[in-house]
Amino acid sequence: MKHRYYLWLREYDNRLFLWCNHSLSHPVLDRLLKGLTHLGSAAFTILFSLSIILFSVEPWQRTGWLSLIALAASHLLAVLIKKTFQRNRPYDVLQQAKLFIHPLKDYSFPSGHTTAAFSTFIPFLFADPGLARILLPLAFIVGLSRICLGVHYPSDVLAGGLVGTITAILVVLVAGAA
């Protein structure tokens, strides 16, 4: 029974990936997603957090620190999960997959960009819940971009979003208790 459920999930994941990767593909959208995907890159998320720390005042400096700590912790967790599961990327498994960016050398599960986007942005929602209207859609777009550009399955993105969100919430809660 467990095996059948796993096969069904994998097949659904493959179909959803191919639908996003093909049906949502359009030259304008592809170019836009190639740019927006960098909102989850190490360069952007680290510079974003450091900029808040260096160039703002309290309570934003503290939030910047929480964001940077959540980013570092979630990155370590995501790397550990990647090495444990060793899931190949969709373009290595599915012949029909379209790849819109350079191939990546690490494993697919979970999405590091999605993990980084959520872990970086979530602490700011605790400082100002109104930012959710801007930051949550951006984090979701990072995740969607990873699927549409051909480098992650939907389950990779879902897992990355959960790892980033849970890590950030834990960092904020622990910092609040200190």
Side-chain angles (χ1 to χ4, degrees), residues 45-170:
T45 54
I46 292 168
L47 287 174
F48 176 80
S49 297
L50 285 175
S51 294
I52 299 297
I53 292 166
L54 296 172
F55 302 115
S56 69
V57 296
E58 290 301 336
W60 297 111
Q61 280 181 329
R62 184 177 192 287
T63 304
W65 278 111
L66 294 174
S67 177
L68 189 61
I69 292 166
L71 175 62
S74 69
H75 172 73
L76 294 173
L77 186 55
V79 168
L80 179 66
I81 295 169
K82 280 181 187 272
K83 289 182 187 268
T84 301
F85 285 93
Q86 299 184 359
R87 184 180 198 187
N88 290 325
R89 294 199 177 262
Y91 57 80
D92 288 329
V93 176
L94 303 172
Q95 284 184 326
Q96 314 94 302
K98 294 181 192 177
L99 181 62
F100 294 93
I101 59 175
H102 295 293
L104 303 170
K105 300 200 185 313
D106 63 342
Y107 293 110
S108 184
F109 182 86
S111 166
H113 278 67
T114 308
T115 301
F118 278 91
S119 66
T120 301
F121 296 158
I122 293 295
F124 289 93
L125 305 185
F126 283 88
D128 183 354
L131 290 173
R133 287 176 280 188
I134 299 165
L135 297 179
L136 285 179
L138 288 176
F140 280 106
I141 289 169
V142 169
L144 180 63
S145 75
R146 304 310 285 170
I147 302 165
C148 291
L149 296 174
V151 292
H152 283 289
Y153 294 99
S155 59
D156 301 340
V157 168
L158 178 61
L162 288 172
V163 168
T165 298
I166 292 168
T167 304
I169 290 170
L170 289 174

Side-chain angles (χ1 to χ4, degrees), residues 2-14:
K2 230 187 206 181
H3 181 67
R4 197 167 80 204
Y5 182 66
Y6 170 76
L7 290 176
W8 179 84
L9 278 176
R10 189 174 64 183
E11 179 60 31
Y12 184 75
D13 209 20
N14 289 346

